[in-house]
Amino acid sequence: MPGTVLLLAAAPVGRGRLVDAASVLPVLAAVEPAVLSGTGTANVVELADPLEPQAVLTRLRAAATAPGPLTVFVTGQLQLDRRQRLPHLALARTTPATVRYTALPWHWLREELRLRPPGATSLVLDLHADAETWQWLSEHPLDSGHNNTVHGRIAPPPGRRAVAAPGYMKAVATILRSGHRPPLDQLHQQALSRITDEPPGLELAAPGPAPDDPHAVISAAVQAGRHGEAESLAARYEQAAAHTHGPGSEPVLHWSEVRADLAMLAGDPARSCRTWLAVAEARLAAGQPVDAPAVEAAVDRAHHQWGQVAEPAAARELGLALAALRSRVPGRREGALDHVQRQLRQLQTQG
């Protein structure tokens, strides 16, 4: 099956730039797509210094839904937003004051990839951190999703007014230009061995999920078209989590989110929307703030699934609940509440 490769290089324009991220793209682009992917053939999507996080999200979402193996090469810099102090991939227009609105939240990348089959996604990362983010990383590991194989490094802040080179990713690209892609763990070690003269950074090396991981078992059922079996397994894990950790606990909410995803994959957007709404309400009832990433993600996904509901009565019922929730959780996309209200007015005229 053909593979997909996403090449993403991003850094702010101007004084805030820590790394010349886009300089690595010509070297990566010179590698044969099949070598980049490790498959017989591959499609390559390249994003050089993108401006808008929503545009990156659209490309990422398309890559995540493509069948076959996916390899994502990311070169850039991490910064924290001032409001929630969560890591973002800085884009061309990002400044310290505008991170929340002009950078790509790292958890968006993790969320978009989480529906992919376990082991089908590989991330190769060459990231640079400013001083504040470097300190944050000493206490908070960068979460790139438990389903994914992750290799790379996070470099410390460069010297004052210095712009670093993406040494790790250039080493990766140089090795791949030989025409052979070794296993990613070996590629990672070979690349590290070529940049020993650079300041030590944080090594990223996650091999991906074990074959007996419950998520892998559920994913296998979905891939085989056994959606009822997948739903039953997830419900069983959710009940077990409730017994062990209590209703409304994070493990229970996790399995509720899995069930919402499974409903989407089974072609039941109404059930998926209803489950996402319940997850958002449960998180808010537990005291999570309205701008918490998990709350915003639940409402955004409920909104998306609501747009797929074809039956007018169900759409009206779910839309009223979504509008009430959107008034509390507006999210990052401007006009989300207005969109729900406009659609509801149209639905009122339908039988």
Side-chain angles (χ1 to χ4, degrees), residues 255-299:
W255 286 109
S256 297
E257 292 176 345
V258 170
R259 289 178 49 245
D261 287 336
L262 292 174
M264 180 197 71
L265 294 171
D268 191 343
R271 177 160 58 92
S272 181
C273 176
R274 187 172 286 108
T275 307
W276 279 119
L277 290 172
V279 168
E281 293 285 3
R283 290 191 177 281
L284 291 169
Q288 296 185 23
V290 296
D291 61 353
V295 174
E296 289 185 340
V299 180

Side-chain angles (χ1 to χ4, degrees), residues 300 303 326 329-341:
D300 287 346
H303 193 153
R326 268 297 186 208
V329 187
R332 301 189 183 208
R333 182 169 294 183
E334 292 185 11
L337 176 58
D338 290 342
H339 174 263
V340 177
Q341 292 172 336

Side-chain angles (χ1 to χ4, degrees), residues 105-195:
W106 193 258
H107 62 267
W108 282 11
L109 184 144
R110 182 190 68 225
E111 287 295 313
E112 290 306 318
L113 298 179
R114 76 192 189 108
L115 292 183
R116 290 184 52 77
T121 308
S122 300
L123 302 177
V124 182
L125 309 176
D126 188 351
L127 303 172
H128 290 66
D130 61 14
E132 182 183 32
T133 309
W134 185 253
Q135 177 61 37
W136 184 90
L137 288 166
S138 68
E139 303 173 4
H140 306 85
L142 188 67
D143 184 357
S144 301
H146 73 275
N147 272 355
N148 308 318
T149 300
V150 183
H151 289 92
R153 66 121 187 210
I154 305 176
R160 188 176 181 183
R161 298 181 180 176
V163 176
Y168 173 86
M169 194 65 78
K170 284 188 174 180
V172 166
T174 301
I175 295 167
L176 293 178
R177 286 187 68 178
S178 68
H180 169 66
R181 174 172 138 164
L184 284 183
D185 56 341
Q186 297 179 24
L187 176 64
H188 171 65
Q189 293 301 326
Q190 291 175 22
L192 288 179
S193 71
R194 296 190 178 205
I195 57 169

Side-chain angles (χ1 to χ4, degrees), residues 15-35:
R15 295 172 55 189
R17 178 175 293 228
L18 300 179
V19 57
D20 185 10
S23 67
V24 77
L25 286 178
V27 191
L28 281 171
V31 179
E32 288 292 327
V35 177

